[in-house]
Amino acid sequence: MDDGSLDLTLVTHPVVRTRLTALRDARTSSVQFRDLLTQLTGMLMYEAMASQAVTAVTVQTPVGPCDGVQMTQPPLLVPVLRAGLGMLDAAMTAVPEAQVGFVGVARDEETARPQEYLVSLPADLRDRPVVVLDPMLATAGSMIHTLDVLARHGATDVTAVCVIGAPEGVAALRESGHRLRLVLGGLDEGLNEDAYIVPGLGDAGDRLYGPRNF
């Protein structure tokens, strides 16, 4: 654990890097963007679940008994709306035993601060692993807000999966007081004056679903 609170894993596999390059490309269509994000999420989820607790089981193959494992406690997947929805199907494919909760946070374009509009979570998350899904970790405002919400529900075992992040966001998470595993597909140069990641990939929600006009 870095400084006792943040365990950061930066995934540098060549397949992740090539898919991330295509995802960043401004010429990539929304259809292609959704497909690439799905591919990347699946790869990052494997890394995120590497330390998941398992329980020994025995199954019967067509030839004979075989010792194996199953997840001791399947995670709760929590996409941060709206961009996190683009990661949900791939995460559920990787961990079909998982259940799903939602946190809806919109970015205030004037202040770059998060505005909560939805929380749908089990009342008690004690002793339950949680995986937060959000493509972008910029200022970490939305992520820290989500971690605050999860903490109020008792969550102590939390992993965040983000496609790209900025050093400012990572630093904010280290200073947040939350204990967190963070899996990143890329760590970029920093934030511009509008608090967007540079070089980044633009607004992930807009590239997934079109501009927000409401």
Side-chain angles (χ1 to χ4, degrees), residues 126-149:
R126 287 175 296 178
D127 303 318
R128 184 169 189 179
V130 178
V131 179
V132 180
L133 305 171
D134 196 351
M136 314 284 284
L137 179 71
T139 65
S142 296
M143 181 63 69
I144 292 172
H145 181 88
T146 300
L147 296 176
D148 290 343
V149 171

Side-chain angles (χ1 to χ4, degrees), residues 47-112:
E47 187 66 43
M49 302 304 293
S51 60
Q52 182 75 14
V54 294
T55 301
V57 297
T58 300
V59 298
Q60 187 74 26
T61 80
V63 179
C66 177
D67 294 333
V69 298
Q70 64 183 16
M71 287 190 183
T72 303
Q73 175 68 283
L76 179 75
L77 303 175
V78 181
V80 180
L81 307 184
R82 67 179 169 147
L85 280 177
M87 303 174 71
L88 181 57
D89 284 350
M92 293 188 70
T93 297
V95 191
E97 306 94 330
Q99 293 183 323
V100 182
F102 298 95
V103 174
V105 180
R107 166 182 158 126
D108 186 312
E109 293 300 334
E110 293 185 1
T111 65

Side-chain angles (χ1 to χ4, degrees), residues 6 21 28 35 59 62 100 109 132 135 157 201-202 206:
L6 182 67
T21 299
T28 297
D35 181 59
V59 298
V100 182
E109 293 300 334
V132 180
D157 180 4
L201 49 76
D206 286 356

